[in-house]
C-alpha cells in the first residue's frame, strides 16, 4: 500500500490551485521540513485554505506553519474512507447505500437541530458503524468542505 498525503491549496482571487502529494512521509520532522520549504516557496503570500485528508500530524504541521489558514476536509475523501472502513459491516449494498444516504443528511444539515436529529437517526439505524463515525469524523464536523 502506498502511503501518501494529498493537499490541495486554493489561492484567493486566483484562477488556479496547487496540488501537492507527499509520498511516504511518515515522520513529523519530514512533514515539517517539507512545509517549511513550501513556506519559502510562497514567501509573503497568505495561504488561506488547505484541503487535506484527515491526517492529524499533517493537519498539525499545517497549523504550525500556516496559523492563519483553515484546514478543511473534503467530503469525497471522507466518504471514500468510510466505504473502506464501514462497508464490510453491511450485509447488502442496499443497507450500505441507506447508511451513506443518512450520513449525507448529517453532513448537509442546515441547522444544529437538523444536524442533531440526523445524527440520532443514523445512530439508531446503523449502530455498528456509528462508533467509527463518532470517534473519527463527527468531531471534525466544522472542517467539512461541502461542494
Amino acid at each position: 500500500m502506498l502511503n501518501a498525503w494529498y493537499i490541495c491549496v486554493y489561492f484567493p482571487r486566483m484562477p488556479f490551485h496547487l496540488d501537492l502529494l507527499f509520498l511516504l512521509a511518515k515522520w513529523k520532522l519530514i512533514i515539517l521540513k517539507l512545509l517549511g520549504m513550501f513556506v519559502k516557496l510562497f514567501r509573503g503570500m497568505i495561504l488561506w485554505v488547505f484541503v487535506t485528508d484527515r491526517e492529524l500530524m499533517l493537519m498539525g504541521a499545517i497549523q504550525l506553519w500556516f496559523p492563519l489558514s483553515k484546514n478543511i476536509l473534503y467530503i469525497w475523501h471522507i466518504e471514500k474512507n468510510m466505504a473502506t472502513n464501514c462497508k464490510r459491516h453491511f450485509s447488502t449494498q442496499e443497507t450500505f447505500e441507506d447508511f451513506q444516504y443518512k450520513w449525507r443528511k448529517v453532513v448537509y444539515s442546515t441547522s444544529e437541530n437538523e444536524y442533531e436529529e440526523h445524527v440520532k437517526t443514523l445512530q439508531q439505524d446503523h449502530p455498528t458503524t456509528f462508533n467509527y463515525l463518532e470517534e473519527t469524523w463527527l468531531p471534525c464536523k466544522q472542517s467539512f468542505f461541502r461542494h
Side-chain angles (χ1 to χ4, degrees):
M1 181 177 175
L2 177 67
N3 291 324
W5 292 343
Y6 172 78
I7 300 178
C8 181
V9 183
Y10 291 91
F11 297 92
R13 295 182 294 280
M14 298 237 182
F16 63 90
H17 64 275
L18 178 65
D19 295 320
L20 303 171
L21 184 65
F22 294 107
L23 297 174
L24 302 172
K26 293 183 180 181
W27 299 280
K28 191 173 188 174
L29 182 61
I30 293 172
I31 293 301
L32 289 173
K33 285 183 178 181
L34 288 171
L35 285 174
M37 292 183 331
F38 190 66
V39 167
K40 289 177 185 175
L41 181 65
F42 292 100
R43 185 177 313 246
M45 291 184 70
I46 297 175
L47 303 177
W48 293 103
V49 178
F50 288 84
V51 181
T52 66
D53 214 342
R54 187 184 173 268
E55 289 291 342
L56 299 178
M57 188 179 359
L58 178 61
M59 292 168 69
I62 290 170
Q63 186 61 38
L64 177 68
W65 281 105
F66 303 98
L68 299 177
S69 70
K70 181 165 177 65
N71 186 12
I72 58 178
L73 304 169
Y74 194 41
I75 297 296
W76 183 85
H77 289 289
I78 294 171
E79 290 180 353
K80 292 296 179 191
N81 189 291
M82 285 181 9
T84 301
N85 291 292
C86 296
K87 195 169 187 176
R88 66 180 177 271
H89 296 289
F90 296 93
S91 56
T92 66
Q93 180 65 23
E94 189 175 89
T95 57
F96 179 65
E97 288 172 3
D98 180 66
F99 166 75
Q100 289 181 305
Y101 172 76
K102 289 177 178 163
W103 164 252
R104 287 184 186 120
K105 289 185 91 163
V106 168
V107 170
Y108 292 101
S109 297
T110 57
S111 70
E112 193 64 32
N113 288 340
E114 187 179 318
Y115 172 84
E116 294 297 333
E117 182 180 308
H118 291 312
V119 166
K120 188 175 182 179
T121 301
L122 187 61
Q123 183 178 20
Q124 290 170 349
D125 294 351
H126 301 286
T128 56
T129 52
F130 186 77
N131 286 341
Y132 166 75
L133 295 178
E134 191 172 41
E135 292 171 7
T136 308
W137 298 111
L138 293 180
C140 304
K141 71 179 183 175
Q142 300 300 327
S143 298
F144 291 169
F145 176 57
R146 300 159 190 88
H147 52 282

